Amino acid sequence: MVTAQRRYGFGLIGCGVIAPTHATALAGLPNAHLVAVADIVPEKAKAFAGEHGVAWEADIGALLARPDIDVVSVCVPSGLHAEIGIRAARAGKHLVVEKPIDITVAAADRLLDAAASAGVLLTVISQHRFSAGLRRLRELVDQGRLGRLILGDAIVKWYRSQGYYDSGDWRGTWAVDGGGALMNQGVHYVDLLCWIMGTVDEVTALCATQAHTIEVEDVALALLRFRSGAVGLLQASTATYPGLPERLEISGTGGSVIVEAGDIRLAELADEKGDAGAYGSKITSSPLPAGTAAADPAAVASDAHQAQLADFLAALDSGGQPSVTGEEARACVAVIRAVYDSARSGRPVAPANPRR
Ligand SMILES: NC(=O)c1ccc[n+]([C@@H]2O[C@H](COP(=O)([O-])OP(=O)(O)OC[C@H]3O[C@@H](n4cnc5c(N)ncnc54)[C@H](O)[C@@H]3O)[C@@H](O)[C@H]2O)c1
């Protein structure tokens, strides 16, 4: 007997820049559909609902009261994720929360506790994990083909104009953005770096505001010590004109891989290439990189969001965990807060370790 696949109703809160990516991603999934949206500015919800052919509610309470909504996508400004997510969890809704999970470890913990007590599932968007290059890199690491990991660098040299920061009163603020180039943009690659390299135990950082009138950093640099003994480098900027392809550079005793804009740019593996000699050997791999959101946040393609949503729905169906867990997202915020603390104090800082 063939059982019909469950179709999940989604509600979306926060109809701004990233909301259409969620709506488009959901529209392409057979087992999900966007039911209704809400925004603190009701006209934005109404206009968005009209464009996407869905219902809208004048307030969040009305959206959360709808029995035809199973999952809520939290697309409000970063420092409001826990507050809105907790309300949704208490209403019994599963949660897809945009990155970062929130802007402090304490807020992340409140949200994770609320989701656990309500018995709802939660994932935090980290769509780059679902790109082909990153999946391949993770496979190579899992197969042991890079050997023991020794050095992991994440470089996110993007560009955002002053106009971008001026386009929303929360952007570039400590209170609601929670930081700048690292908390908002670099967070993607903090997640990827931790996903590949593991837990970060120590951070030594330097931050600066170079090219914008904002209170937060537009350049963040950090040296990382991983629990495994590996070390790494993190760079995030929104001041690097015109926005360069983001890179993850991972080296182990068995080889090096560079992922650029989601594609493998270079994979030099000792088990294929053999001995590199006393002075190293010539690079032989060089596939071309693809598109990136380096300069245009609205250009985020929906495919990767769609893959993450599909993964989340599969977890709901199976009763398992999604690929990107709330605990992992919390660990990213702990690393980022440690970067800010270290930049302020001039000392190495241990991130508030993820709960087990
Ligand atoms: N995954 C990605 O690549 C990606 C890209 C862009 C943004 N984001 C994340 O998405 C979130 C939103 O960013 P954005 O650029 O869309 O912001 P935005 O300012 O364009 O949109 C936020 C929307 O939330 C609404 N809002 C604010 N407070 C609200 C509240 N209390 N209740 C209901 N609605 C409220 C605003 O009116 C606005 O329409 C941020 O956390 C950001 O980090 C992720």
Side-chain angles (χ1 to χ4, degrees):
M1 196 183 90
V2 179
T3 30
Q5 193 180 30
R6 171 144 187 218
R7 194 152 180 259
Y8 293 91
F10 272 68
L12 184 152
I13 302 177
C15 301
V17 168
I18 199 61
T21 304
H22 285 256
T24 308
L26 286 170
L29 288 170
N31 56 339
H33 63 131
L34 184 57
V35 173
V37 299
D39 194 287
I40 199 153
V41 182
E43 301 74 48
K44 288 184 81 168
K46 188 178 177 186
F48 188 90
E51 275 162 40
H52 295 273
V54 298
W56 67 283
E57 298 290 351
D59 69 89
I60 295 172
L63 182 131
L64 295 178
R66 288 185 71 128
D68 52 354
I69 291 180
D70 309 294
V71 184
V72 165
S73 298
V74 178
C75 298
V76 295
S78 306
L80 302 173
H81 289 180
E83 178 191 322
I84 301 290
I86 289 168
R87 282 184 67 184
R90 287 184 180 153
K93 310 301 184 191
H94 301 292
L95 293 166
V96 173
V97 180
E98 260 301 344
K99 58 77 193 164
I101 184 169
D102 201 294
I103 58 175
T104 65
V105 173
D109 282 343
R110 285 197 299 276
L111 178 54
L112 294 180
D113 287 344
S117 333
V120 298
L121 206 60
L122 174 151
T123 193
V124 175
I125 294 291
S126 183
Q127 76 267 27
H128 300 284
R129 278 208 209 177
F130 295 82
S131 66
L134 265 308
R135 284 203 310 266
R136 180 72 186 126
L137 167 60
R138 178 62 197 247
E139 226 170 68
L140 291 171
V141 170
D142 288 347
Q143 290 164 352
R145 297 197 55 200
L146 268 75
R148 179 171 53 82
L149 299 184
I150 51 177
L151 178 59
D153 300 340
I155 301 142
V156 186
K157 292 187 178 175
W158 285 1
Y159 180 75
R160 296 290 182 267
S161 66
Q162 184 63 37
Y164 160 83
Y165 284 108
D166 296 342
S167 72
D169 58 3
W170 68 279
R171 297 197 196 280
T173 65
W174 285 113
V176 191
D177 220 344
L182 188 58
M183 183 64 89
N184 191 311
Q185 285 80 20
V187 61
H188 286 291
Y189 270 66
V190 175
D191 178 67
L192 297 175
L193 198 54
C194 294
W195 185 48
I196 300 295
M197 302 293 295
T199 304
V200 174
D201 269 347
E202 189 185 272
V203 168
T204 308
L206 185 66
C207 291
T209 309
Q210 301 280 28
H212 299 97
T213 309
I214 47 174
E215 61 192 42
V216 295
E217 87 289 354
D218 58 12
V219 177
L221 306 174
L223 301 175
L224 309 174
R225 192 181 294 283
F226 296 94
R227 182 161 298 173
S228 66
V231 292
L233 169 75
L234 183 59
Q235 290 189 47
S237 180
T238 49
T240 34
Y241 176 90
L244 310 177
E246 63 278 7
R247 294 160 77 88
L248 200 65
E249 304 193 356
I250 306 294
S251 291
T253 51
S256 293
V257 174
I258 296 180
V259 181
E260 190 171 78
D263 286 333
I264 300 228
R265 175 80 171 154
L266 174 155
E268 298 285 309
L269 301 172
D271 61 6
E272 280 172 3
K273 212 175 155 74
D275 186 10
Y279 295 91
S281 64
K282 277 199 176 126
I283 297 299
T284 46
S285 58
S286 58
L288 288 176
T292 166
D296 181 5
V300 179
S302 62
D303 308 17
H305 269 75
Q306 190 175 79
Q308 186 168 353
L309 292 174
D311 172 89
F312 185 67
L313 295 174
L316 281 176
D317 278 338
S318 69
Q321 282 297 311
S323 292
V324 185
T325 67
E327 299 286 342
E328 290 173 302
R330 175 202 186 274
C332 291
V333 172
V335 169
I336 295 168
R337 300 303 306 195
V339 168
Y340 294 151
D341 287 350
S342 172
R344 272 189 209 112
S345 68
R347 296 206 169 87
V349 171
N353 279 327
R355 302 178 313 175
R356 284 161 217 291

